[in-house]
């Protein structure tokens, strides 16, 4: 069996669970001066690292694809794994929405839904497509030069996508991101960062600690800001929302580094082939969980009489929902032809 990087599998599984938790926690977006809303801020903040981590893992795994197969094969694999599921599940979303609302979408609405990723949680596909389109380009950079070149791209991206927009919000000017960030996508930067941390950069203990401190500060800053802003303004503060915000960048970075240097020491001790197989199988179901979990998250409260704002639902249900969805995905992946939708 191909050697697995088990800590990456664990990281992917935890990230998928965090995505489910974020969507179980939808009450976060409606401010209320209640214990339920305050707890929702904690869930929202602690699970917010998941999306950047998916891009970092993608970069860590895929940028070296030329060592294994051709660019043609790369795009064929991405088309089968990503484009086909996106088309199918976006179509399902449109049909289900039509059945529920009895409103026929116009052709323009359908195109808008596909092109702008407006089908439920599937917005994630659009930046993922863009990163995949760039990977064959950045992978052409010789390996001995990647550390410097990728670091440069990450730095410029961080300044343009994280620092300048935040400064603009704080002092009252709007940065035209269409002009500034067209060549330095924040999501591409996450992919490059994941590659560097996995393959090129070895962090000393001191640097790891600095990153952990920055991650804790990023987490705390967003948590405190949202709570204080809500108390003062009576609404959800959005200043630090967004996966390119410095607070999120450092928080996600610290999570990746923690798994790379701490969790990996534990997972390296796992030698039982069957255990590794189970972990890798669950990890492989993560993408499918992302595709189908919305149909559980938004309907389960009605099925079982839960309140969508209850502590029980928001704190205890994400893992059972993940497990249920993962089991469904595992079964579907065993069925010929149909398995390709997940």
């Amino acid at each position: 069996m191909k050697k697995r990087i088990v800590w990456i599998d664990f990281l992917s599984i935890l990230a998928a669970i965090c995505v489910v938790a974020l969507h179980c926690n939808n009450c976060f977006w409606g401010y209320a001066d209640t214990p339920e809303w305050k707890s929702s801020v904690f869930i929202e903040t602690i699970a917010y690292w998941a999306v950047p981590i998916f891009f970092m893992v993608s970069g860590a795994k895929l940028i070296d694809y030329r060592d294994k197969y051709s660019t043609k094969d790369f795009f064929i694999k991405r088309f089968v794994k990503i484009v086909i599921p996106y088309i199918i599940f976006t179509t399902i979303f449109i049909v289900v929405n039509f059945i529920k609302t009895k409103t026929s979408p116009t052709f323009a609405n359908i195109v808008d839904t596909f092109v702008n990723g407006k089908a439920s949680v599937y917005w994630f596909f659009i930046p993922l497509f863009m990163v995949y389109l760039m990977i064959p380009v950045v992978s052409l950079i010789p390996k001995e030069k990647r550390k410097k070149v990728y670091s440069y791209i990450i730095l410029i991206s961080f300044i343009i996508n994280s620092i300048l927009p935040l400064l603009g919000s704080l002092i009252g000017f709007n940065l035209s991101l269409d002009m500034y960030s067209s060549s330095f996508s924040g999501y591409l930067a996450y992919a490059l960062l994941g590659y560097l941390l996995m393959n090129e950069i070895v962090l000393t203990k001191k640097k790891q600690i600095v990153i952990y401190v920055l991650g804790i500060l990023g987490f705390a800053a967003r948590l405190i800001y949202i709570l204080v802003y809500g108390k003062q303004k009576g609404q959800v503060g959005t200043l630090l929302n967004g996966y390119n915000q410095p607070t999120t960048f450092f928080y996600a970075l610290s999570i990746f580094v923690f798994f790379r240097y701490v969790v990996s020491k534990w997972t390296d001790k796992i030698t039982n082939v069957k255990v590794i197989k189970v972990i890798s199988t669950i990890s492989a179901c993560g993408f499918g969980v992302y595709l189908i979990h919305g149909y559980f998250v938004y309907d389960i409260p009605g099925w079982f009489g839960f309140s969508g704002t209850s502590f029980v639902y928001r704190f205890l249900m994400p893992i059972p929902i993940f497990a249920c969805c993962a089991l469904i995905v595992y079964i579907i992946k065993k069925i010929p032809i149909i398995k390709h939708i997940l």
Side-chain angles (χ1 to χ4, degrees):
M1 184 178 71
K2 179 182 176 182
K3 181 175 174 58
R4 301 288 305 188
I5 305 176
V6 182
W7 68 266
I8 285 280
D9 286 332
F10 269 112
L11 182 58
S12 299
I13 292 169
L14 185 57
I17 293 172
C18 282
V19 168
V20 175
L22 286 171
H23 295 142
C24 286
N25 194 48
N26 210 37
C27 64
F28 164 77
W29 297 103
Y31 172 78
D33 189 13
T34 62
E36 288 80 9
W37 183 78
K38 292 173 183 176
S39 69
S40 78
V41 178
F42 177 78
I43 295 173
E44 166 75 12
T45 309
I46 202 168
Y48 205 62
W49 57 269
V51 170
I53 288 294
F54 279 125
F55 285 98
M56 294 176 76
V57 169
S58 293
K61 287 183 173 181
L62 294 177
I63 287 178
D64 273 339
Y65 76 87
R66 293 177 187 274
D67 294 342
K68 295 173 285 186
Y69 43 78
S70 68
T71 296
K72 177 183 177 181
D73 289 335
F74 172 83
F75 280 119
I76 291 173
K77 289 174 181 291
R78 294 309 104 198
F79 183 84
V80 171
K81 183 175 177 60
I82 303 297
V83 178
I84 290 177
Y86 178 68
I87 293 172
I88 291 173
F89 279 89
T90 298
T91 301
I92 291 172
F93 171 84
I94 292 171
V95 173
V96 170
N97 194 56
F98 166 69
I99 294 172
K100 286 183 176 181
T101 64
K102 308 299 184 190
T103 303
S104 299
T106 65
F107 177 73
N109 292 147
I110 293 173
V111 173
D112 184 41
T113 300
F114 274 98
V115 173
N116 291 309
K118 292 186 176 180
S120 186
V121 299
Y122 303 145
W123 67 267
F124 173 79
F125 280 92
I126 305 303
L128 189 62
F129 291 155
M130 298 302 103
V131 169
Y132 285 166
L133 289 175
M134 286 301 299
I135 282 179
V137 178
V138 298
S139 66
L140 285 172
I141 298 170
K143 290 186 178 182
E144 65 272 14
K145 296 182 179 180
R146 287 181 182 177
K147 184 175 180 180
K148 289 184 178 180
V149 175
Y150 289 3
S151 296
Y152 168 77
I153 295 174
I154 293 166
L155 175 61
I156 299 300
S157 174
F158 181 68
I159 293 171
I160 291 174
N161 295 291
S162 301
I163 299 300
L164 291 182
L166 179 59
L167 287 177
S169 298
L170 291 173
I171 64 179
F173 74 88
N174 292 319
L175 183 72
S176 179
L177 288 178
D178 288 339
M179 290 192 295
Y180 279 90
S181 62
S182 58
S183 299
F184 293 96
S185 161
Y187 294 109
L188 176 61
Y190 277 124
L192 299 180
L193 184 60
Y195 173 83
L196 289 181
L197 290 170
M198 184 73 177
N199 300 283
E200 300 290 340
I201 295 176
V202 178
L203 297 173
T204 64
K205 285 281 189 180
K206 289 184 179 179
K207 289 180 179 179
Q208 292 174 44
I209 291 172
V210 169
I211 290 172
Y212 297 148
V213 170
L214 289 173
I216 292 170
L217 291 176
F219 166 81
R222 185 166 185 261
L223 177 69
I224 294 170
Y225 161 74
I226 295 173
L227 289 172
V228 171
Y229 190 93
K231 187 70 174 179
Q232 293 179 345
K233 304 292 185 179
Q235 60 188 37
V236 179
T238 59
L239 177 66
L240 298 180
N241 283 356
Y243 296 114
N244 289 319
Q245 289 290 349
T247 47
T248 305
F249 178 88
F250 288 121
Y251 183 35
L253 172 62
S254 68
I255 296 290
F256 192 93
V257 169
F258 178 76
F259 271 77
R260 173 72 176 83
Y261 288 94
V262 178
V263 176
S264 63
K265 292 182 179 179
W266 172 59
T267 58
D268 285 345
K269 298 177 182 179
I270 301 176
T271 57
N272 188 297
V273 174
K274 292 183 179 179
V275 172
I276 294 174
K277 179 64 175 178
V278 169
I279 295 169
S280 66
T281 300
I282 296 173
S283 176
C285 291
F287 180 69
V289 171
Y290 168 75
L291 288 170
I292 69 173
H293 79 278
Y295 295 100
F296 292 82
V297 165
Y298 300 122
D299 292 331
I300 277 180
W303 295 346
F304 297 99
F306 285 118
S307 166
T309 64
S310 71
F311 290 99
V312 172
Y313 176 67
R314 292 181 294 112
F315 280 90
L316 299 183
M317 287 306 295
I319 292 180
I321 290 174
F322 171 84
C324 181
C325 290
L327 179 59
I328 292 171
V329 171
Y330 176 76
I331 293 171
I332 292 176
K333 286 166 75 75
K334 295 294 183 180
I335 304 173
I337 300 177
I338 298 177
K339 66 182 181 180
H340 294 299
I341 71 172
L342 295 172

